[in-house]
Amino acid sequence: MKLIECPRDAMQGWHHPIPTADKIQYLNTLLQVGFDTIDFGSFVSPKAIPQMADTAEVLSHLDIPANGSKLLAIVANQRGAEEAVMCEPITYLGYPFSISETFQLRNTNKTIAESLELVQTIQELCIKNRKQLVVYISMGFGNPYGDPYDAGIAMQWVDELTKMDIGIISLADTVGVAEPDNITKLFSTLIPAYPQVEFGAHFHSAPHNWEEKVAAAYAQGCRRFDSTIKGIGGCPMAKDDLVGNLATENLLQFCKEHNEPLTLHQPALAQAQRLAEQIFAPSL
């Protein structure tokens, strides 16, 4: 079971600026917990996502344990990818590839066709610089814009990505619309069809329906899940009312109930939870 902790997703749309020093302290605490990967920041336009403008500075102050959590940074264009691949501590670059034309334009100012070309460019940069690309199938379970969607469309775009030898593809429920039946259909088809690909799940959900989503993906063999402490965050480019992320606390309880062995440093986890309460107060 791989747990991908996503403080970047929690911070990026937060309604007040988070001081750089607070981000550094929070991330350094998370790095002590033992998560497989920390989605820590993004190399994107500061005009689009001002909360992430200090990602490079934050990175320079992180204490990364040897053989510990790996770092993932989100990029939205070639310029951001070129900056990210030059950062030695980063293992993964993440790119949001939306299968909703409307959202792809909103999120990266590119059409789906243009984004597919960009994925190829970023993949080449990653290979050249010994990084790994993670492609997020944004709006992977439907969209609120009326753009065409069904499971077949999602599978079609996954097939296109696999032709580029993308090794990690995460299906993202960007606006919290995924239904268990659709989750089951996608993962049950994709995982056996592409054994060379590691499929993940990035669920946004309300507190009442997170478990059915996780259970549906888990039952079909998904073992890579994104979450955030206390379920904070969502995508600020999706719509005005953010749907929260899957809460790490809930995911940990799910793992315990399903006898998934995890080796996490509990004191560091507790400290990270306390810091989250301070950083994201008073809304918690």
Side-chain angles (χ1 to χ4, degrees), residues 80-253:
E82 289 171 344
E83 185 176 359
V85 296
M86 299 307 295
C87 298
E88 191 276 333
I90 294 174
T91 298
Y92 301 114
L93 273 64
Y95 180 75
F97 180 82
S98 178
I99 58 175
S100 156
E101 190 83 26
T102 300
F103 186 63
Q104 192 66 61
L105 287 165
R106 288 184 63 166
N107 200 33
T108 65
N109 199 33
K110 291 178 176 59
T111 65
I112 293 176
E114 290 169 337
S115 288
L116 194 64
E117 293 179 3
L118 178 59
V119 168
Q120 180 66 60
T121 299
I122 298 174
Q123 172 74 330
E124 291 169 0
L125 281 168
C126 285
I127 293 170
K128 181 179 179 180
N129 293 276
R130 292 179 292 181
K131 308 295 185 186
Q132 188 165 4
L133 177 58
V134 179
V135 175
Y136 291 89
I137 304 292
S138 175
M139 299 288 173
F141 300 94
N143 65 82
Y145 311 115
D147 291 341
Y149 174 82
D150 57 38
I153 291 174
M155 294 176 194
Q156 169 197 338
W157 288 115
V158 168
D159 188 64
E160 289 296 321
L161 293 167
T162 60
K163 294 174 184 176
M164 303 179 194
D165 293 325
I166 305 299
I168 305 175
I169 298 175
S170 190
L171 302 180
D173 185 17
T174 315
V175 286
V177 298
E179 296 292 339
D181 287 350
N182 198 26
I183 294 170
T184 297
K185 183 174 183 179
L186 283 172
F187 282 104
S188 67
T189 303
L190 293 172
I191 289 177
Y194 303 100
Q196 77 279 17
V197 176
E198 178 182 357
F199 284 97
H202 183 101
F203 291 135
H204 292 179
S205 66
H208 71 277
N209 65 353
W210 69 269
E211 188 169 11
E212 62 187 25
K213 297 183 181 187
V214 172
Y218 181 86
Q220 302 307 320
C222 179
R223 295 295 184 270
R224 179 188 178 94
F225 289 90
D226 293 11
S227 65
T228 63
I229 286 176
K230 300 187 180 295
I232 303 161
C235 181
M237 305 303 288
K239 58 181 188 177
D240 293 334
D241 297 324
L242 298 185
V243 180
N245 284 294
L246 169 62
T248 300
E249 293 82 354
N250 289 338
L251 185 57
L252 293 178
Q253 181 61 33

Side-chain angles (χ1 to χ4, degrees), residues 5 25-26 29-30 33 35 228-232 247-250 252 264-281 284:
E5 179 65 24
Q25 182 185 16
Y26 187 44
T29 303
L30 290 173
V33 176
F35 296 109
T228 63
I229 286 176
K230 300 187 180 295
I232 303 161
T248 300
E249 293 82 354
N250 289 338
L252 293 178
L264 300 181
H265 189 250
Q266 294 301 321
L269 177 60
Q271 175 63 8
Q273 291 169 319
R274 288 191 290 270
L275 287 172
E277 290 175 353
Q278 298 170 20
I279 292 169
F280 300 103
L284 291 179

Side-chain angles (χ1 to χ4, degrees), residues 44-64:
V44 296
S45 166
K47 292 182 179 180
I49 310 289
Q51 199 74 263
M52 294 288 101
D54 58 355
T55 289
E57 181 181 357
V58 167
L59 177 62
S60 70
H61 290 86
L62 296 185
D63 300 319
I64 305 166

